[in-house]
């Protein structure tokens, strides 16, 4: 009997350890939240429930689209028209750029990077640079909308930003991004591509239409047109009616990661030493801008945006900083880690080479974007 109990306890520990090891970002956030509780007792008010509800709604809708093969149909239809590797790469990179604005950078990469790797294997054409550019494209493209990535959703909700100021603040970054990507796509090698992909059919057109309407409702709630609780009830009811299984398929660890970061940031932001440091270092737009880029490189742009938002009301440099800060190190954006994991699963011997090229490309983009966008901020302040 004792042996059975010990075995069960051991199995539970192994499962828990495997879960923590699998999602290191969640583990990191959990440890930080736990340690910060020794500094300050946590409070329920630290948790931004609007962000969590909007994120939950989005994940359900996007998972439904995945199950119905909506994105796959679009991608395969476009890719079957490719005649060479350059046009193929261009389509995949642009798909990541534009789709990330709607379905988030994570989902865009989870959808289109595996497709890149499959074609790379079938044709024996190396597409490491394509995957890297897809990652950059998703991180830049997602910056243009509040629902494109978690940090945008948080900043948009936390500061109560209106639609027009948000878009006008970030639109030049997106234009600069697509222009830079176009230049790099033109530099890619062009190899004849002979591969026919089996056309994909949408699983259920009526369900896809319903989820399309639900997605519009969710976007309306993000923009403040509808109450987020109303959108939550509608999304949950449609999930229960059309496909209960998606309720267990979404990434709940991402929601838990957010909760942990909310607790951690809430606790440490009340520490006197942190408040003193913030008061001295976040004096103006430039310091907010460069601090958000710097902290994004160390702790990722999502927690960086949550942390710095407690010490500044200057949302524009913060918004630009954490989005530009998603470039650079591989941990600067969680979406970049997804691409890396997918690539090394398919090419286990090329991990080091990928990281080297990824770092070169990303830091080149980071430095270029940081300097150009800072010049624009300075120019706009002078007007």
């Amino acid at each position: 009997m004792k042996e059975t109990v010990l075995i069960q306890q051991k199995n539970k520990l192994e499962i828990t350890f495997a879960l923590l090891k699998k999602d290191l970002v969640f583990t990191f956030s959990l440890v930080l939240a736990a340690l910060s509780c020794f500094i300050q007792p946590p409070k329920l008010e630290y948790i931004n429930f609007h962000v969590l509800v909007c994120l939950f709604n989005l994940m359900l809708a996007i998972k439904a689209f995945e199950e119905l093969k909506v994105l796959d149909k679009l991608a395969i239809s476009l890719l079957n028209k490719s005649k060479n590797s350059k046009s193929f790469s261009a389509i995949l990179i642009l798909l990541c750029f534009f789709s990330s604005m709607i379905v988030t950078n994570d989902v865009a990469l989870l959808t289109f990077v595996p497709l890149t790797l499959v074609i790379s294997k079938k044709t024996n054409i190396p597409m490491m640079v394509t995957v890297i550019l897809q990652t950059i494209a998703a991180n830049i493209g997602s910056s243009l909308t509040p629902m494109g990535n978690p940090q945008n959703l948080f900043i948009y909700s936390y500061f109560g930003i209106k639609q027009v100021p948000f878009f006008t603040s970030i639109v030049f970054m997106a234009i600069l991004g697509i222009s830079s990507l176009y230049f790099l796509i033109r530099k890619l090698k062009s190899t004849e591509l002979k591969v026919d992909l089996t056309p994909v059919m949408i699983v259920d057109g009526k369900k896809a239409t319903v989820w399309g309407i639900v997605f519009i409702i969710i976007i309306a709630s993000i923009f403040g047109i509808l109450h987020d609780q109303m959108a939550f009830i509608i999304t949950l009811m449609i999930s229960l009616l059309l496909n209960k299984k998606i309720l267990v398929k979404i990434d709940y660890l991402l929601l838990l990661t957010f909760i942990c970061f909310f607790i951690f940031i809430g606790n440490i932001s009340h520490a006197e030493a942190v408040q003193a440091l913030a008061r001295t270092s976040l004096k103006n737009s430039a310091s907010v801008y460069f601090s958000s880029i710097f902290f994004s490189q160390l702790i990722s742009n999502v927690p960086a945006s949550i942390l710095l938002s407690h010490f500044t009301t200057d949302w524009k440099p913060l918004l630009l900083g954490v989005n530009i800060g998603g470039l650079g190190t591989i941990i600067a954006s969680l979406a970049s880690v997804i691409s890396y994991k997918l690539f090394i699963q398919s090419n286990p011997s090329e991990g080091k080479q990928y990281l080297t090229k990824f770092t070169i490309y990303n830091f080149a983009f980071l430095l270029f974007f940081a300097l150009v966008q800072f010049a624009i901020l300075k120019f706009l302040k002078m007007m």
Side-chain angles (χ1 to χ4, degrees), residues 133-174:
L133 292 180
Q134 281 180 285
T135 308
I136 293 171
N139 283 329
I140 296 173
S142 64
S143 66
L144 190 59
T145 62
M147 61 280 187
N149 53 53
Q151 70 269 14
N152 277 11
L153 184 59
F154 171 77
I155 292 171
Y156 185 85
S157 303
Y158 185 83
F159 291 100
I161 308 168
K162 300 297 182 184
Q163 296 95 308
V164 174
F166 181 93
F167 288 121
T168 53
S169 299
I170 206 77
V171 68
F172 187 80
M173 178 181 167

Side-chain angles (χ1 to χ4, degrees), residues 164-222:
V164 174
F166 181 93
F167 288 121
T168 53
S169 299
I170 206 77
V171 68
F172 187 80
M173 178 181 167
I175 294 170
L176 193 64
I178 196 70
S179 304
S180 305
L181 288 166
Y182 174 75
F183 174 77
L184 289 174
I185 288 169
R186 290 190 60 133
K187 297 288 181 183
L188 292 173
K189 290 181 180 179
S190 183
T191 307
E192 189 179 357
L193 198 63
K194 291 182 180 180
V195 58
D196 286 321
L197 298 168
T198 305
V200 174
M201 298 301 293
I202 293 176
V203 175
D204 189 319
K206 289 181 181 178
K207 286 184 179 180
T209 303
V210 172
W211 275 110
I213 295 168
V214 172
F215 189 74
I216 292 169
I217 291 170
I218 294 168
I219 300 305
S221 73
I222 291 172

